[in-house]
Amino acid sequence: MRTRTLALAAASGAALLATITLTPAAHAGPASGTDLKEGSVSAADLLAKVTSCSQISNGKYRTDEETSATIPVCGKNGAVFWKADMDIDCDGEITVACNEDTDPWFQNGTAFETSAGKPLNAEKLPYVVVPSVSSIWNYGDAGIKGGGVVAVIYNNKVEYAVVGDTGPNKIIGEASYAAAKALGIDPDPETGGAESGVTYILFKNSKVSPIESHSAAVTAGDALAKQFIQNN
């Protein structure tokens, strides 16, 4: 993952404490478009549980290099969450949409890899970037791991993703090309993204296996989202 510059602005509970490993299952719904609905839990029901923040980070994060630090990591039963922007991560496997020509910050690796030991495919796999470990917050200490399940919510849509990469230790709010596209956000790594309004709910001690299976993330995400609502 790379540090964004001004390009984006210029372009305008206990039940969850056990590790969950799920294998691929049938996709619950379409992966793009205005009628996106993955699983059976609505965006409104999830958002209703994250209206207030019990801050667990030692400080706050910036959304971009040039902004002030205003974003805390918040704790809930069985999850952590933050509300931020979405920068586009195109790192990983070289594809038509994600490469050195399309992305000035492109890196051909991701912090977490496929079951075959290869970089993730940002063009095809919805994944979320977590800040690298720092004095502000250590995602591992909070039960967040590579392949962990994330519910990403934007414009009344829910997209399930995995924790796929790490980024700068003072910046938060980034997801893969595929995650952005599925949510109706411009996925262009240089000029796309969303300036605000994105909620990331990361479920503690969860893990999709294999990490590259989006259908497994949807199956796990739906189950975890139901437990999250029940326990909060």
Side-chain angles (χ1 to χ4, degrees), residues 120-140:
L120 301 180
N121 186 325
E123 183 178 349
K124 294 183 178 180
L125 181 69
Y127 70 72
V128 165
V129 179
V130 294
S132 295
V133 174
S134 71
S135 59
I136 301 176
W137 184 55
N138 183 327
Y139 63 87

Side-chain angles (χ1 to χ4, degrees), residues 77-139:
N77 288 333
V80 303
F81 75 92
W82 55 82
K83 300 181 180 182
D85 65 342
M86 182 184 286
D87 292 336
I88 309 301
D89 191 341
C90 236
D91 292 344
E93 181 179 339
I94 297 174
T95 67
V96 172
C98 293
N99 55 67
E100 293 180 349
D101 293 328
T102 62
D103 182 2
W105 306 276
F106 180 77
Q107 297 179 26
N108 62 355
T110 49
F112 308 106
E113 298 180 326
T114 70
S115 55
K118 297 181 179 180
L120 301 180
N121 186 325
E123 183 178 349
K124 294 183 178 180
L125 181 69
Y127 70 72
V128 165
V129 179
V130 294
S132 295
V133 174
S134 71
S135 59
I136 301 176
W137 184 55
N138 183 327
Y139 63 87

Side-chain angles (χ1 to χ4, degrees), residues 15-42:
L16 294 178
L17 292 180
T19 298
I20 296 177
T21 302
L22 295 184
T23 53
H27 196 296
S32 61
T34 57
D35 295 324
L36 173 72
K37 182 174 175 59
E38 292 197 328
S40 59
V41 179
S42 70

Side-chain angles (χ1 to χ4, degrees), residues 19-84:
T19 298
I20 296 177
T21 302
L22 295 184
T23 53
H27 196 296
S32 61
T34 57
D35 295 324
L36 173 72
K37 182 174 175 59
E38 292 197 328
S40 59
V41 179
S42 70
D45 286 345
L46 286 170
L47 290 175
K49 299 298 183 177
V50 294
T51 56
S52 61
C53 175
S54 176
Q55 183 171 330
I56 62 171
S57 54
N58 295 322
K60 296 181 179 181
Y61 289 95
R62 302 175 180 182
T63 57
D64 293 290
E65 193 173 70
E66 69 278 1
T67 62
S68 57
T70 60
I71 309 297
V73 176
C74 310
K76 299 289 285 189
N77 288 333
V80 303
F81 75 92
W82 55 82
K83 300 181 180 182

Side-chain angles (χ1 to χ4, degrees), residues 4-12 64 66 86-88 105 154 185-196:
R4 293 293 298 245
T5 64
L6 290 171
L8 177 60
S12 293
D64 293 290
E66 69 278 1
M86 182 184 286
D87 292 336
I88 309 301
W105 306 276
Y154 178 76
I185 295 171
D186 181 357
D188 187 292
E190 184 172 10
T191 61
E195 292 186 2
S196 62

